Amino acid sequence: MTAESGASLLLVGCGKMGGAMLDGWLAAGTASRVVVVDRAGLPQSLAGDARVTLASGADSLPDGFVPDVIVLAVKPQVMEDALPSYRSLVRPGTVFLSIAAGKTIAYFERLLGEGAVVVRSMPNTPAAIGRGMTVAVPNSRVSAAQRDLSDRLLRAVGDVAWVEDEGLLDPVTAVSGSGPAYVFFLVEAMARAGEAAGLPADLALRLARATVSGAGALLDASPQEASDLRKAVTSPNGTTQAALEVLMADDGLQPVMTAAIAAAARRSRELAG
Ligand SMILES: NC(=O)c1ccc[n+]([C@@H]2O[C@H](COP(=O)([O-])OP(=O)(O)OC[C@H]3O[C@@H](n4cnc5c(N)ncnc54)[C@H](OP(=O)(O)O)[C@@H]3O)[C@@H](O)[C@H]2O)c1
């Protein structure tokens, strides 16, 4: 592969995440050729795109096709069945890039063999609209060039951070992986509280939703930290301060959030076995 020509990819699983990544690669020109393995076939929007072909499995790839990267984007529960057939594609020049929640590097090395070049990554749901946060960890066989290529592929659906310590993926899962659900719950909680304060239910929900998504967009557009933006909208003795005194009390939101994230990290460790 050359930077100009784009990479040669095998995408195993073209559902919500795999499909969003594929759209990103094609739009950015990161991939020159993608072979897709998915039981449902290719998305309608890709019919006629000469860069993308469908294969029924590892044993029916086009003649001479040697992927730079095999992106594993099937559900974790089908990985065990799907993976062994890709053992024949293990070689130093091919990276297995997994986005499957909870599947460890040791798991992939066990199913693919010790020689496998593996990147394990953990994206989150905003990746479906190109706004994800992914954290990736390489095994010891991943070269610098393979790490760069994996980074570019993951970047197609949002921001990417790399860690060397795989143990960090449990707290990563707890913060960014599961995090979107906490923010959605914040909308629900604010709406319920607005209703309790006298607002009609539908108006409370509309205000909470617009406020959380608008504040997220403002944070995204601003070079300032969240704490600076918070201080900027908190007038002394005003309404925001009255609420923050409750939220930031010793028994306020922080201990609840710390306990919630610790519970998610614990569960992530249990699920990884
Ligand atoms: N969705 C997220 O926000 C998110 C966030 C973080 C990580 N992830 C990870 O991303 C991975 C994919 O999740 P997803 O939400 O994109 O799931 P999904 O929409 O269900 O996509 C998985 C696709 O793989 C296909 N498939 C099933 N068995 C296969 C096989 N043996 N070979 C090839 N394709 C096969 C499925 O087809 P059928 O529908 O016919 O079974 C489906 O089209 C998961 O491992 C998940 O942990 C997802």
Side-chain angles (χ1 to χ4, degrees), residues 130-144:
R131 298 295 312 275
M133 180 69 230
T134 301
V135 178
V137 56
N139 79 350
S140 59
R141 289 174 208 87
V142 177
S143 70

Side-chain angles (χ1 to χ4, degrees), residues 71-86:
V71 180
L72 301 169
V74 294
K75 290 278 192 203
Q77 55 271 28
V78 305
M79 196 66 86
E80 191 113 9
D81 281 343
L83 211 50
S85 63
Y86 294 89

Side-chain angles (χ1 to χ4, degrees), residues 9-263:
L9 309 176
L10 176 58
L11 174 62
V12 183
C14 191
K16 287 186 284 297
M17 289 293 288
M21 292 176 89
L22 178 57
D23 287 344
W25 302 331
L26 295 174
T30 324
S32 56
R33 183 172 189 195
V34 185
V35 175
V36 174
V37 179
D38 191 289
R39 295 187 301 208
L42 284 178
Q44 195 59 41
S45 58
L46 294 178
D49 189 321
R51 295 169 294 178
V52 185
T53 47
L54 185 69
S56 59
D59 49 5
S60 61
L61 300 178
D63 282 347
F65 176 72
V66 181
D68 299 308
V69 183
I70 299 175
V71 180
L72 301 169
V74 294
K75 290 278 192 203
Q77 55 271 28
V78 305
M79 196 66 86
E80 191 113 9
D81 281 343
L83 211 50
S85 63
Y86 294 89
R87 269 184 96 107
S88 60
L89 299 178
V90 170
R91 55 189 274 282
T94 297
V95 187
F96 285 80
L97 170 56
S98 164
I99 62 163
K103 294 299 178 197
T104 64
I105 286 175
Y107 169 91
F108 290 109
E109 290 175 341
R110 180 167 60 78
L111 286 176
L112 291 168
E114 284 293 319
V117 181
V118 180
V119 172
R120 175 186 170 194
S121 72
M122 180 66 208
N124 63 6
T125 51
I129 56 159
R131 298 295 312 275
M133 180 69 230
T134 301
V135 178
V137 56
N139 79 350
S140 59
R141 289 174 208 87
V142 177
S143 70
Q146 287 173 325
R147 181 172 160 147
D148 283 353
L149 174 56
S150 302
D151 187 86
R152 270 187 282 139
L153 295 176
L154 294 170
R155 223 163 263 286
V157 289
D159 198 4
V160 182
W162 287 79
V163 295
E164 299 302 323
D165 175 4
E166 190 178 8
L168 293 180
L169 283 206
D170 297 311
V172 160
T173 301
V175 175
S176 56
S178 302
Y182 319 156
V183 178
F184 301 143
F185 180 66
L186 177 65
V187 174
E188 298 175 66
M190 282 175 67
R192 269 195 293 271
E195 220 182 314
L199 290 173
D202 55 345
L203 181 60
L205 196 55
R206 187 172 157 200
L207 298 189
R209 182 186 175 113
T211 301
V212 170
S213 54
L218 180 63
L219 178 62
D220 188 50
S222 169
Q224 290 183 290
E225 295 299 333
S227 56
D228 294 325
L229 292 171
R230 168 176 56 75
K231 286 173 195 155
V233 295
T234 310
S235 318
N237 297 318
T239 56
T240 311
Q241 184 178 326
L244 287 174
E245 279 172 6
V246 177
L247 287 171
M248 296 175 76
D250 288 348
D251 60 349
L253 183 58
Q254 187 61 66
V256 173
M257 186 60 80
T258 302
I261 284 182

